[in-house]
Amino acid sequence: MAHAPAVAHGGAHVTSTGTENRKLLMWIFLGSECLFFGSLIATYLVFKHQVIERGIGPFPIDVTIDGKVEHGIFDIPLTSTSTFVLLMSSVTMVLAVYGAHQHRLKMMKLGLLSTMLLGLVFLGFQVYEFRTFGHEGLNLTTNMFGATFFLLTGFHGTHVGVGVLYLGSLLAASFRRNGLGRETGEHVEIAGLYWHFVDIVWIVIFTVLYLIP
Amino acid sequence: MRAVLTARHRTGDRARPGTTRGLRRWAAPLALVVLALALVGCDAPMSTSEIEGSWNKEVWKPYWVILILAGIVFVVIMAATLVLPLMYRERPGREARQIHGNTKFEVVWTIIPVAIVLIMMVPTLDSVFKLDEKPPANALKVEVIGHQWWFEFRYPDLDVVTANELHVPEGRVVDYALRSVDVIHSFWVPQLAGKVDMVPGRDNRMAFSALRARAEPYLGQCAEFCGTSHANMRFRVFVHTAEDFDRWAKAEAADRVSSVSRTAEEAFLAAPCLGCHTVRGTDAAGIAGPDLTHIGARTTIGSGLLDNTPAELKRWIANSPAVKPGSKMPPMAQSAGGTLTDEQINVIIGYLQSLK
Amino acid sequence: MATIAGTLAQPTQSGVWSWITTVDHKRIGVLYGVTGFSFFLWGGVLALLMRTQLAVPNGTVIESDRFSQLFTMHALTMIFLAIMPMGAGFFNYMIPLMIGARDVAFPRLNALSYWTFLGGAMILSLSFLFEAPGGGWFNYAPLSERPYSDGLGIDFYVVGLLTLGLSSLMAALNFAVTIINLRAPGMTMMRMPVFVWMTFVISILLILALPPLTVGLIQLLFDRQFGTHFFIATEGGDPLLWQHIFWIFGHPEVYILILPAMGIVSEVLPTFSRKPLFGYPAIVFSGIAIGVLSWVVWSHHMFTTGMGSVPRAVFAVNTMIIGVPTGIKVFNWLATLYGGSIRFTTAMYFAVAFIATFTIGGISGVMHASPPVDSQHQDTYFVVAHLHYVLFGGAIMGIFSGIYYWFPKMTGRFLGETLGRWHFWLLFIGMQMTFFPMHFLGIAGMPRRIYTYDDGLDWGFWNMFATIGSYVLAVSLLFFIWNFFRSMRREPSAPANPWDAPTLEWGTSSPPPEHDFDAIYTVRSREPLWYDRDHGIAAPVATGEHIHLPPPSYYPILIAIGITLLGVGALSHLAISALGGVIAFYGVWGWALEPTD
Ligand code: HEA
Ligand code: HEA
Ligand code: CUA
Ligand SMILES: [Cu+2]
């Protein structure tokens, strides 16, 4: 047959759906990730009220126990800032993808680099937040709030970290040879899918944990 | 070693000629056709098909409906898988009919299962809600507390605390509060009722009555895997007439009444026992093990594992983990690494036996 | 070395190294299949030990804790190390062939899944050398927590399952993409063989079901290693959370186990009835419906945990409804037999027996879908009977049917039919003897997971009966093993399509060449080979085009070793984890830079 499609590797070849294999893989994988973060968020919600009922602090938000006000340890302005940073990284990621598709090597490199830097800044914020919480007496074992909070945001942070490495490997690859291979556009776009996903998950976490009382 | 575990349920009034029992066993293969027959043939001491409690009565309402429907589906499908292949086996001249489907049939065999399922749902849902109904105000309150690997029973309104042998009046609804102090256990007396788990941190409830008083106890068993001696976590339920029950409860609520000498009691109190066991009226107030205030009145020890005889008590106290793997009661005899001599144990046994 | 121009001959590779570095889906399929079957025998040996202990009241063969390890490892071995990999073996071998492709979408990822699976299987099984997990396969908290299980056993469970989950996830992603993207021209979704459809549903189920399990395992790991209390009530945790998480995974999982068998049977029945599958769309859609419904029934494993009556009612209704799509399948299979001209090969025997035994298991399933009824069934041998009827009578029967059916395709040799008959009948009788009495035992009140029971409870007779049955099963498997080795010593003699089957895998030689098809088929019907035969369309001929085959790679096994060491380190020394991390990282690096052209 003239258009034998079933070629056995992930290159830009004809596929039954027209979507490139690796991109499809990433989409489905992100579906799996939804359930992963969904389970972690669900665990957080399960224990949310119970934490306050048991009365063992620190608490995420201000609560009144036996007439005494216990101050919550969430610092909304700080976390809003870090959320904004992560949001911006999605913008720079879009630039990187655009650059890769348009064969504008410089733009792509710049986009990747700034996305990575913004990701690192976000991680810096997270490290700072974790440390502050630690000083205020909240750690993994203090109460169920600590356990669920650190597990959830910790795994999100890990995802950001992996994303930074992922983008870093693309950036490193773009310094080789001419920098823009036949498939670079696809590669960067797929990485972009991942990055945007991690970003969106954070928006959900931020909303559910920090904003909804 | 294992031969140890033969504390046998009392055969009592259900002694049957061996031959009928044998017959019943052999009748079962025939019952293969409809499971229902097998159930009729089952009257084992822990049979779930015996209706001796109000809960079981409720269970069997949907059970019969489902069983009959299941039997029909079973017969039809078994017949079809047997007959169709035989009818249509390859023969010279036979051509397979190239049919791809038939909407009419497909609709029919979608509707039939739907109908079956609907019929099963009605009594099921009815029973689900009935079994969860609030017990009447005069219900007897009993707290059942699971421990690895024994049951504690408390009657908060009667001031009774006992273990491994539950006593209830016939016909009166009992409101059970089910708890656990360690892992998940499950409270189950097959002839009376289904099971409800005892989950740490939760307050599970179930309510049912035993339908009739009977000399022979009902057998219960922990039904959720809970570690080493899950298999040995058994208990018994005695169903009395109302008067008998009151008599029992009054005796049980009282402090210990010991007919033996004070020195025996002192020997007991000098031993390590009081760290874990309570004997009301004495200094022994431990809570890690079963309440022993009226241990002499129990028929079994070790959660239904051994008969309550001096010889068995001796084996238990000397080295309980050897009788019941994993038992949280450490060996007591010097020979097994404990602190007590044979004589000391004998004195203690005499004392325990006297605690009626 | 990779691209072969013009001619289609691939230098045949042999030797251990070629198996280690292979990225050929057929070889990986064989690896999965053989490994899975070996673990099936091992899991069976564990079962025989249990049956021996339970043969008589107050048995003295195996002591309490060892018995717990036996039923835990028996279930884990059968489910994760036998049925799932044997299913994966068939997916690997058959899916590309059935959709007319030359390989899976990601050959190296495929190899990585297998080696990671092997690593996880080793971790789990070698636990016997230290301390095997003994908390049951669903490992309820808080029994699985430090205060109640202090040894290494539960840690083996956690690390082993995490590793196996990673492997399954990679495999599932691969198959989902392969099926969506690599179909031959004309192979629309509604022309795919049912086996391919079921694989697709399973892949999606795995992709969605594994994350909750992963989260649960991580939480348990944190509880045990880092002092959190997710499942410890006294510290604010919730033991039932584990049950919810486990069964949200666990129920889809049981359909993950049965759907391959349903797919196989849907291939075997039409082939040997010599007529198309009856009601193909209904079978496909009911498969999808089962997949969807499997997400809303998990709490039927928790009817006795004291959930309120409303959730119990809801889950009861959902669970019963699952009987409807399954019933549709059963009826369509029976209708496929109707009007046929049935050839009774061993494969066909297994397929027909599958319908009967699976239905028995399904019926008992529907029985305990009723919460009041389940209050008497839960945790008794009635459930053990149910699960073996669907798992042994369903999944294993289906897999044997597939083995007899595809053996000629995979090896070019036939399995002996006479020995096959012996195997079948002994297995069938042994299976009924072993598992049917368990219904009686359950009704007679025998709890599961007890290593001993008293006499005088009327359980002795049927237990002895079941034990004898399990030995009959063992004998039947010896016949199969004999049959296998006997066939493998023979010369290959199977033609391309010995059964005159309709699907594409039979459109290439037996065994297929490394590139699967000399030329890619164009599919015009749901039964492409029958259509071509009846319309006088000749098989496509090779055009001499370039066929690209991915080169072998040792990075997959390297990464898998790294991942396994990461896990082993979590059980012993973090230094080993660090080493594993370095190896895995090096592997990924090499993998990324390795040319695939
Ligand atoms: C291959 C695996 C598999 C499959 C396919 C099934 C299928 C089903 N299972 Fe089963 N199940 C298990 C594996 C499986 N199960 C395991 C391993 C456990 C125990 C876990 C453990 O505790 O260790 C378990 C336990 C289990 C329980 C919990 C029991 C308990 O612990 O108390 C329940 C309760 O509802 C249940 C229900 C069902 C139902 C309703 C189906 C349905 O899908 C069945 C549908 C099929 C049919 C109904 C037959 C064909 C239909 C017809 C011929 C149509 C007409 C019939 C009717 C409408 C009734 N299963
Ligand atoms: C996945 C499928 C699966 C399969 C195929 C089986 C197969 C078998 N199972 Fe199992 N079983 C489960 C899944 C499965 N089981 C699960 C999930 C549980 C619940 C566990 C839990 O409670 O946590 C369970 C529990 C379970 C119990 C209950 C334990 C208890 O609750 O105390 C029993 C008891 O009889 C049992 C028996 C058997 C037997 C006799 C077989 C037989 O069919 C086995 C047949 C195989 C053989 C007999 C092997 C033959 C071996 C040879 C021929 C040797 C050859 C040797 C060499 C070549 C070296 N199983
Ligand atoms: Cu307590 Cu089992
Ligand atoms: Cu289920």
Side-chain angles (χ1 to χ4, degrees):
Chain A
M1 292 289 100
H3 63 302
V7 185
H9 74 150
H13 294 269
V14 184
T15 60
S16 307
T17 54
T19 308
E20 206 259 333
N21 284 342
R22 267 180 286 209
K23 198 191 284 176
L24 190 60
L25 181 89
M26 183 54 85
W27 273 112
I28 304 177
F29 172 67
L30 294 182
S32 184
E33 291 277 79
C34 284
L35 269 283
F36 182 80
F37 282 106
S39 306
L40 288 169
I41 293 173
T43 313
Y44 179 85
L45 293 179
V46 164
F47 290 113
K48 192 173 166 187
H49 294 288
Q50 184 257 27
V51 169
I52 294 169
E53 276 157 26
R54 274 175 74 91
I56 300 174
F59 304 99
I61 47 168
D62 295 356
V63 291
T64 320
I65 291 172
D66 301 333
K68 216 178 93 213
V69 177
E70 293 253 5
H71 284 290
I73 59 173
F74 275 164
D75 184 347
I76 309 277
L78 180 90
T79 316
S80 303
T81 315
S82 75
T83 305
F84 180 74
V85 168
L86 198 61
L87 265 178
M88 284 305 103
S89 78
S90 262
V91 176
T92 55
M93 189 69 227
V94 171
L95 284 181
V97 174
Y98 181 77
H101 276 310
Q102 299 293 315
H103 290 273
R104 288 161 72 172
L105 183 58
K106 232 206 199 113
M107 185 174 187
M108 182 189 93
K109 282 185 184 169
L110 208 65
L112 287 176
L113 189 66
S114 36
T115 310
M116 286 169 66
L117 288 178
L118 289 170
L120 287 174
V121 171
F122 175 81
L123 285 179
F125 270 103
Q126 194 170 40
V127 171
Y128 173 79
E129 189 185 30
F130 278 20
R131 286 187 56 140
T132 322
F133 286 5
H135 290 313
E136 299 192 21
L138 183 77
N139 56 44
L140 204 54
T141 56
T142 319
N143 58 15
M144 290 314 292
F145 164 60
T148 51
F149 172 82
F150 284 116
L151 201 66
L152 171 55
T153 54
F155 267 105
H156 181 266
T158 313
H159 275 74
V160 176
V162 169
V164 170
L165 287 178
Y166 185 2
L167 298 183
S169 72
L170 288 177
L171 188 63
S174 73
F175 283 102
R176 298 193 313 153
R177 275 179 272 148
N178 68 351
L180 266 172
R182 194 162 36 87
E183 297 176 2
T184 309
E186 289 284 349
H187 285 311
V188 178
E189 191 181 333
I190 294 168
L193 286 178
Y194 176 85
W195 192 265
H196 294 316
F197 172 82
V198 173
D199 198 358
I200 292 168
V201 168
W202 180 255
I203 305 293
V204 175
I205 294 176
F206 182 61
T207 314
V208 172
L209 267 63
Y210 292 79
L211 299 186
I212 298 178
Chain B
M1 267 280 130
R2 223 6 34 88
V4 171
L5 306 179
T6 43
R8 195 161 300 115
H9 68 284
R10 320 260 169 301
T11 14
D13 55 350
R14 37 183 306 286
R16 274 180 275 107
T19 44
T20 29
R21 182 181 288 200
L23 265 181
R24 276 164 206 247
R25 275 178 185 162
W26 286 113
L30 303 172
L32 218 117
V33 193
V34 184
L35 211 67
L37 294 184
L39 304 184
V40 178
C42 262
D43 55 357
M46 284 178 69
S47 168
T48 58
S49 58
E50 217 90 334
I51 301 181
E52 301 275 330
S54 61
W55 178 296
N56 256 13
K57 222 160 138 186
E58 200 53 52
V59 163
W60 277 87
K61 286 178 193 163
Y63 212 135
W64 278 117
V65 179
I66 292 174
L67 205 57
I68 290 167
L69 290 171
I72 295 171
V73 174
F74 178 82
V75 171
V76 170
I77 304 288
M78 292 310 117
T81 34
L82 201 67
V83 170
L84 284 172
L86 291 178
M87 264 171 69
Y88 294 103
R89 56 181 340 148
E90 190 174 39
R91 287 215 195 92
R94 168 171 274 159
E95 277 289 318
R97 293 165 50 188
Q98 301 299 306
I99 19 180
H100 285 266
N102 179 319
T103 319
K104 218 187 298 166
F105 280 104
E106 311 237 14
V107 171
V108 170
W109 61 55
T110 310
I111 289 179
I112 292 178
V114 170
I116 297 179
V117 163
L118 285 177
I119 301 175
M120 294 195 305
M121 277 177 196
V122 177
T124 291
L125 296 185
D126 190 46
S127 290
V128 166
F129 291 103
K130 282 235 177 74
L131 288 174
D132 255 18
E133 268 170 16
K134 278 225 151 31
N138 73 337
L140 174 67
K141 286 203 166 48
V142 175
E143 291 169 21
V144 182
I145 300 156
H147 300 255
Q148 273 180 329
W149 290 276
W150 56 282
F151 287 89
E152 178 177 352
F153 300 111
R154 293 168 168 268
Y155 299 66
D157 298 339
L158 304 175
D159 259 356
V160 170
V161 179
T162 181
N164 299 326
E165 294 193 351
L166 175 66
H167 293 251
V168 295
E170 70 176 335
R172 178 155 163 214
V173 175
V174 183
D175 177 7
Y176 295 96
L178 307 171
R179 314 219 168 89
S180 164
V181 298
D182 37 47
V183 302
I184 303 178
H185 305 275
S186 194
F187 178 72
W188 186 38
V189 196
Q191 294 194 338
L192 299 177
K195 59 192 76 64
V196 173
D197 293 350
M198 306 153 80
V199 185
R202 285 181 66 100
D203 224 342
N204 279 343
R205 299 204 157 247
M206 77 189 297
F208 62 88
S209 62
L211 296 182
R212 64 186 176 97
R214 147 178 137 169
E216 176 206 345
Y218 294 95
L219 300 184
Q221 163 112 30
C222 171
E224 182 66 64
F225 179 66
C226 53
T228 308
S229 258
H230 161 64
N232 300 319
M233 186 165 165
R234 309 169 189 171
F235 64 104
R236 262 141 225 262
V237 182
F238 293 83
V239 183
H240 305 282
T241 59
E243 306 84 70
D244 282 356
F245 175 76
D246 288 342
R247 205 168 307 130
W248 173 83
K250 198 169 285 158
E252 198 74 13
D255 279 356
R256 60 98 179 72
V257 203
S258 180
S259 46
V260 291
S261 66
R262 283 211 61 82
T263 47
E265 182 163 284
E266 270 149 24
F268 171 78
L269 293 174
C273 320
L274 76 176
C276 300
H277 293 285
T278 296
V279 175
R280 265 167 289 144
T282 73
D283 286 346
I287 51 163
D291 186 304
L292 299 181
T293 310
H294 300 285
I295 179 75
R298 290 193 210 145
T299 62
T300 59
I301 52 167
S303 72
L305 219 51
L306 306 176
D307 284 328
N308 189 2
T309 61
E312 301 285 55
L313 263 173
K314 178 127 192 199
R315 280 179 44 215
W316 177 265
I317 295 168
N319 191 350
S320 93
V323 183
K324 183 173 186 176
S327 167
K328 306 276 184 212
M329 171 163 155
M332 291 294 155
Q334 271 174 1
S335 56
T339 52
L340 302 182
T341 63
D342 255 18
E343 283 129 72
Q344 281 172 307
I345 292 181
N346 286 338
V347 173
I348 290 174
I349 289 173
Y351 172 69
L352 292 179
Q353 291 263 293
S354 76
L355 295 172
K356 293 286 186 198
Chain C
M1 147 210 213
T3 315
I4 306 121
T7 65
L8 292 166
Q10 171 81 354
T12 18
Q13 305 165 347
S14 55
V16 179
W17 189 246
S18 76
W19 283 93
I20 286 178
T21 59
T22 188
V23 293
D24 178 358
H25 70 96
K26 296 182 288 302
R27 285 181 166 217
I28 293 169
V30 170
L31 286 173
Y32 260 119
V34 170
T35 318
F37 195 82
S38 314
F39 275 113
F40 170 65
L41 293 179
W42 172 234
V45 170
L46 302 181
L48 290 182
L49 289 172
M50 283 195 290
R51 283 299 347 147
T52 309
Q53 159 73 3
L54 292 175
V56 292
N58 299 314
T60 54
V61 182
I62 287 160
E63 46 96 28
S64 167
D65 283 335
R66 178 62 80 185
F67 189 88
S68 312
Q69 297 173 355
L70 285 181
F71 65 68
T72 306
M73 287 303 292
H74 163 67
L76 293 173
T77 304
M78 286 299 192
I79 289 174
F80 293 100
L81 312 184
I83 297 189
M84 284 176 74
M86 284 197 275
F90 285 130
F91 302 164
N92 266 292
Y93 207 106
M94 291 302 158
I95 295 298
L97 291 170
M98 290 177 111
I99 60 175
R102 290 219 162 96
D103 208 325
V104 292
F106 305 97
R108 288 184 303 174
L109 187 65
N110 208 12
L112 176 57
S113 329
Y114 171 74
W115 295 112
T116 309
F117 153 72
L118 194 65
M122 287 325 221
I123 292 179
L124 208 51
S125 304
L126 293 182
S127 68
F128 268 115
L129 299 181
F130 305 90
E131 182 190 331
W137 81 284
F138 43 75
N139 202 38
Y140 277 175
L143 183 60
S144 57
E145 296 279 8
R146 264 278 172 257
Y148 308 106
S149 301
D150 198 23
L152 268 179
I154 306 294
D155 301 315
F156 273 108
Y157 173 97
V158 173
V159 174
L161 287 197
L162 279 173
T163 315
L164 291 168
L166 187 63
S167 147
S168 297
L169 180 67
M170 294 188 292
L173 288 168
N174 204 345
F175 281 104
V177 175
T178 304
I179 293 171
I180 296 177
N181 256 356
L182 296 189
R183 283 165 284 133
M187 172 76 78
T188 58
M189 291 302 265
M190 288 312 278
R191 280 185 191 158
M192 293 192 319
V194 173
F195 183 70
V196 179
W197 257 113
M198 293 306 112
T199 308
F200 183 60
V201 175
I202 293 159
S203 303
I204 301 297
L205 284 181
L206 274 170
I207 287 163
L208 300 179
L210 287 168
L213 177 69
T214 307
V215 168
L217 290 170
I218 289 172
Q219 289 168 342
L220 183 56
L221 185 79
F222 269 63
D223 274 9
R224 291 179 60 85
Q225 309 292 355
F226 306 118
T228 56
H229 312 107
F230 284 100
F231 310 122
I232 301 180
T234 44
E235 308 283 343
D238 185 357
L240 290 190
L241 177 67
W242 167 265
Q243 298 196 14
H244 282 292
I245 290 179
F246 187 89
W247 291 118
I248 286 175
F249 153 80
H251 192 86
E253 169 71 15
V254 304
Y255 292 104
I256 289 164
L257 298 171
I258 196 67
L259 289 175
M262 292 181 162
I264 291 169
V265 167
S266 305
E267 302 301 322
V268 172
L269 289 174
T271 297
F272 294 110
S273 304
R274 324 229 38 72
K275 63 195 278 276
L277 188 64
F278 195 94
Y280 171 94
I283 291 202
V284 168
F285 285 123
S286 58
I288 298 172
I290 292 174
V292 173
L293 282 171
S294 70
W295 288 93
V296 292
V297 301
W298 77 86
S299 284
H300 66 211
H301 296 275
M302 302 166 59
F303 281 148
T304 62
T305 54
M307 301 188 296
S309 26
V310 175
R312 259 186 296 160
V314 171
F315 281 103
V317 169
N318 292 353
T319 304
M320 287 183 183
I321 290 175
I322 266 197
V324 176
T326 320
I328 292 175
K329 279 184 185 260
V330 169
F331 291 122
N332 279 299
W333 289 325
L334 290 172
T336 304
L337 297 173
Y338 168 80
S341 166
I342 301 171
R343 262 178 71 195
F344 267 102
T345 58
T346 309
M348 189 64 173
Y349 272 103
F350 275 106
V352 172
F354 165 91
I355 305 179
T357 50
F358 171 75
T359 300
I360 298 178
I363 291 172
S364 54
V366 171
M367 288 177 73
H368 33 244
S370 168
V373 174
D374 189 57
S375 75
Q376 285 291 16
H377 287 174
Q378 148 79 22
D379 269 321
T380 67
Y381 265 77
F382 203 90
V383 172
V384 179
H386 160 70
L387 72 90
H388 285 97
Y389 264 88
V390 282
L391 284 170
F392 195 89
I396 295 289
M397 288 276 201
I399 286 171
F400 273 123
S401 179
I403 292 177
Y404 279 89
Y405 181 58
W406 280 315
F407 199 78
K409 176 55 60 190
M410 295 161 79
T411 63
R413 299 162 172 87
F414 289 98
L415 282 169
E417 282 292 314
T418 313
L419 281 177
R421 247 18 95 77
W422 276 97
H423 169 210
F424 170 78
W425 282 112
L426 284 173
L427 183 128
F428 186 76
I429 293 166
M431 127 113 223
Q432 308 302 332
M433 284 178 66
T434 312
F435 301 120
F436 207 87
M438 290 184 183
H439 292 110
F440 305 148
L441 289 170
I443 299 288
M446 178 163 168
R448 62 194 282 200
R449 298 175 163 187
I450 53 171
Y451 73 101
T452 187
Y453 54 92
D454 228 340
D455 57 5
L457 294 169
D458 279 7
W459 299 340
F461 176 80
W462 288 119
N463 267 305
M464 176 54 93
F465 198 86
T467 301
I468 296 171
S470 66
Y471 285 102
V472 175
L473 270 178
V475 174
S476 81
L477 290 168
L478 291 177
F479 272 94
F480 174 78
I481 295 168
W482 177 17
N483 200 352
F484 175 85
F485 285 108
R486 194 174 137 267
S487 296
M488 289 311 283
R489 282 213 312 274
R490 303 253 161 111
E491 282 303 304
S493 64
N497 190 358
W499 317 121
D500 188 18
T503 40
L504 279 187
E505 78 270 29
W506 303 102
T508 184
S509 62
S510 304
E514 188 152 356
H515 53 274
D516 288 2
F517 295 98
D518 290 346
I520 295 297
Y521 273 86
T522 298
V523 179
R524 300 181 180 82
S525 143
R526 223 170 258 159
E527 289 86 25
L529 297 189
W530 286 355
Y531 183 92
D532 288 5
R533 177 194 68 191
D534 296 343
H535 293 76
I537 300 171
V541 284
T543 55
E545 46 156 348
H546 288 246
I547 295 179
H548 174 91
L549 285 177
S553 167
Y554 62 85
Y555 288 113
I557 192 170
L558 201 65
I559 300 177
I561 290 173
I563 293 172
T564 309
L565 289 181
L566 262 168
V568 171
L571 290 164
S572 48
H573 292 287
L574 287 182
I576 299 181
S577 285
L579 177 68
V582 171
I583 294 178
F585 188 79
Y586 172 75
V588 173
W589 188 254
W591 168 304
L593 296 183
E594 188 179 46
T596 50
D597 295 322

